[in-house]
Amino acid sequence: MELITILEENIKKRHQRDWYIFLSIEKFLVEENFDWLKLHIDFQSKSLLGKGVLNIGCRTYTILLSYSPFHEHRYDRIYVNDRSISYNKDIHLYRDLSLCLYHPTVDQPIFQKIPLFKMVPWISEWVVFYEQWKKYGIWFGKEIKH
């Protein structure tokens, strides 16, 4: 195993060991900056869970999220609760319909995890790009093809 991979795993293990403190800090940072999201720490899943309504233009979008160091591969699972959205690799969704807001290796700072409060603005950007994609058939946001 490479040294960087080992160090990254150690960060995740530390976040898992101190999960409640880690998630409490994440919760505080989001609540200080975004009043449209309501969050709570779920002890059973050891996750920060949230729900909020995002208003963009004349439309409203219900956002659901889960953030946890116990999730596989990446900490975040962020969803737009809209049954009309289906999987399409061109609109930056994972197969579970969670939003792909960043490239997990290219965009992730070395020896760090992206904090949730930095991801929250990317949700509204994703929605805007999604609406443009529906209209024009092109994803206008920055991307790295998978």
Side-chain angles (χ1 to χ4, degrees), residues 96-137:
D96 68 353
L97 301 183
S98 62
L99 305 184
C100 177
L101 300 173
Y102 60 93
H103 191 282
T105 54
V106 174
D107 295 330
Q108 190 93 265
I110 193 162
F111 309 129
Q112 295 179 22
K113 297 295 180 184
I114 298 173
L116 182 59
F117 83 94
K118 288 192 175 186
M119 288 183 215
V120 171
W122 302 342
I123 300 168
S124 55
E125 288 178 355
W126 188 94
V127 170
V128 168
F129 292 136
Y130 173 70
E131 291 298 331
Q132 291 172 336
W133 176 81
K134 286 194 319 187
K135 189 173 183 179
Y136 302 110

Side-chain angles (χ1 to χ4, degrees), residues 6-144:
I6 293 168
L7 293 171
E8 291 283 340
E9 279 300 312
N10 287 342
I11 291 168
K12 186 171 184 169
K13 286 177 186 173
R14 188 173 65 245
H15 289 162
Q16 288 175 341
R17 183 188 68 228
D18 301 325
W19 68 271
Y20 183 77
I21 295 168
F22 173 72
L23 293 178
S24 295
I25 292 168
E26 293 289 335
K27 181 179 184 292
F28 173 80
L29 291 170
V30 170
E31 290 175 339
E32 281 293 300
N33 293 285
F34 304 99
D35 60 358
W36 63 272
L37 270 172
K38 302 304 176 212
L39 303 171
H40 71 277
I41 296 174
D42 183 78
F43 285 87
Q44 185 174 358
S45 65
K46 298 180 182 175
S47 299
L48 182 58
L49 303 178
K51 183 176 183 178
V53 176
L54 187 59
N55 296 303
I56 298 178
C58 59
R59 294 219 37 212
T60 60
Y61 302 86
T62 300
I63 306 301
L64 306 172
L65 67 83
S66 175
Y67 187 82
S68 174
F70 294 95
H71 288 322
E72 194 172 346
H73 303 298
R74 62 188 211 287
Y75 287 14
D76 60 287
R77 300 294 186 274
I78 301 172
Y79 304 90
V80 176
N81 193 19
D82 183 336
R83 292 183 192 269
S84 69
I85 298 174
S86 58
Y87 175 75
N88 184 322
K89 65 179 175 44
D90 293 336
I91 62 171
H92 300 272
L93 284 176
Y94 289 99
R95 292 205 182 272
D96 68 353
L97 301 183
S98 62
L99 305 184
C100 177
L101 300 173
Y102 60 93
H103 191 282
T105 54
V106 174
D107 295 330
Q108 190 93 265
I110 193 162
F111 309 129
Q112 295 179 22
K113 297 295 180 184
I114 298 173
L116 182 59
F117 83 94
K118 288 192 175 186
M119 288 183 215
V120 171
W122 302 342
I123 300 168
S124 55
E125 288 178 355
W126 188 94
V127 170
V128 168
F129 292 136
Y130 173 70
E131 291 298 331
Q132 291 172 336
W133 176 81
K134 286 194 319 187
K135 189 173 183 179
Y136 302 110
I138 298 169
W139 191 263
F140 289 110
K142 291 190 292 185
E143 64 182 343
I144 296 173

